[in-house]
Amino acid sequence: MHQHIRVTAEAVVLRYSSKEGMMVLLTKRTIPPHIFKWGLPGGFVHNDEALEACVHRELKDETGLKANYLEQMSTWGHPERDPRGRVLCVAHLALIRHSASKIVLGMGTKEAKWYPVRELPVTAFDHAEIVAAAIEHLRVRLHTEPLAFEMLDEKFPVSELEKLYEWVYDRSVDRRNFQKKINGLGLLAARPEKLKHPLQGRPAQLYSFNRDKFRELKESGSPVEIFS
């Protein structure tokens, strides 16, 4: 039996800010099929290329961006998902900080844009379904993994962290219990700087993610529950 299967690696690239909410990176297709529709950055995997390497290459070539977190998420393989033939899509979750999300179009890319996750345009293939699956994947992973810190600046107020979790889980966070949980795990390191808000009298304390502490918790074998 001869298989005629091709493989693409696509990325659901997410960024977050309390002003915009969760945004996903889309590029406008310039060739058939689904010409002029919006789709996820990515492309066909070279014969000698790792899947993650393909994602990084396509993302850089199309938008000039580099994800600081990349994780293989799922495979999409309905026989009729691509009119060109049998094409499997290996979808990845990619996270990037808002401050590092400026798009620089590559030679083969005519248009790329950040869209609100909850207000997607008409997309190519099954990409809207893949975006929805990525948000659900992120929701599950955030319970025990510090992925939220991959979307925040290196220094941030706790309120930004709280709002990110509120967006992902679509519910209010009990501020006192949330801070108690995070502080109890030792995942935040206080910074000497403070952020002065134009509408608030008292500047907000800034923090950074304590990666060494999280690594220590994981290596100890103790269950880490960041959010419940």
Side-chain angles (χ1 to χ4, degrees):
M1 180 179 67
H2 296 284
Q3 290 184 324
H4 300 283
I5 298 176
R6 303 181 72 187
V7 179
T8 66
E10 318 284 348
V12 180
V13 186
L14 301 176
R15 80 177 188 192
Y16 173 84
S17 74
S18 57
K19 291 182 179 180
E20 295 178 327
M22 194 72 69
M23 309 285 282
V24 62
L25 178 66
L26 299 178
T27 60
K28 183 170 283 189
R29 292 181 58 79
T30 57
I31 60 173
H34 302 291
I35 189 170
F36 304 135
K37 287 186 178 180
W38 293 92
L40 298 171
F44 286 103
V45 182
H46 295 170
N47 289 336
D48 60 348
E49 187 176 41
L51 293 168
E52 291 78 8
C54 176
V55 173
H56 284 300
R57 172 178 57 79
E58 291 283 352
L59 185 58
K60 181 179 180 181
D61 289 349
E62 293 180 23
T63 66
L65 294 174
K66 180 180 180 180
N68 55 295
Y69 178 85
L70 183 68
E71 174 188 352
Q72 188 177 137
M73 185 183 72
S74 58
T75 301
W76 298 71
H78 192 283
E80 299 178 0
R81 65 175 299 274
D82 193 320
R84 293 170 294 188
R86 189 69 192 274
V87 179
L88 301 183
C89 167
V90 182
H92 294 71
L93 173 67
L95 305 178
I96 192 169
R97 293 184 174 91
H98 190 282
S99 58
S101 63
K102 183 179 179 180
I103 297 169
V104 179
L105 295 178
M107 291 184 63
T109 306
K110 298 298 183 182
E111 194 172 354
K113 185 177 178 181
W114 290 98
Y115 272 96
V117 167
R118 293 170 179 161
E119 299 175 19
L120 295 182
V122 177
T123 59
F125 307 107
D126 45 11
H127 288 186
E129 297 175 56
I130 296 176
V131 172
I135 296 301
E136 181 58 33
H137 181 81
L138 180 64
R139 185 176 291 119
V140 172
R141 296 280 280 147
L142 279 178
H143 282 293
T144 57
E145 296 293 330
L147 301 190
F149 300 105
E150 303 294 345
M151 289 181 280
L152 298 177
D153 288 334
E154 290 287 350
K155 304 171 187 177
F156 55 86
V158 174
S159 60
E160 280 293 293
L161 184 63
E162 292 171 352
K163 290 173 183 176
L164 192 158
Y165 275 94
E166 287 181 334
W167 191 98
V168 171
Y169 292 100
D170 197 22
R171 61 183 173 89
S172 297
V173 168
D174 185 311
R175 176 168 295 183
R176 181 175 297 178
N177 288 337
F178 180 79
Q179 293 192 15
K180 182 179 179 180
K181 170 69 74 67
I182 294 294
N183 290 332
L185 292 171
L187 298 182
L188 298 184
R191 308 294 301 187
E193 308 94 331
K194 291 189 177 182
L195 179 66
K196 183 172 176 57
H197 194 284
L199 301 180
Q200 296 176 348
R202 187 167 58 182
Q205 175 68 56
L206 292 178
Y207 296 87
S208 60
F209 173 47
N210 190 338
R211 294 184 183 276
D212 291 337
K213 181 60 179 180
F214 181 77
R215 191 179 301 112
E216 178 184 314
L217 290 171
K218 294 285 283 188
E219 291 176 352
S220 71
S222 303
V224 181
E225 186 181 81
I226 298 174
F227 187 83
S228 58

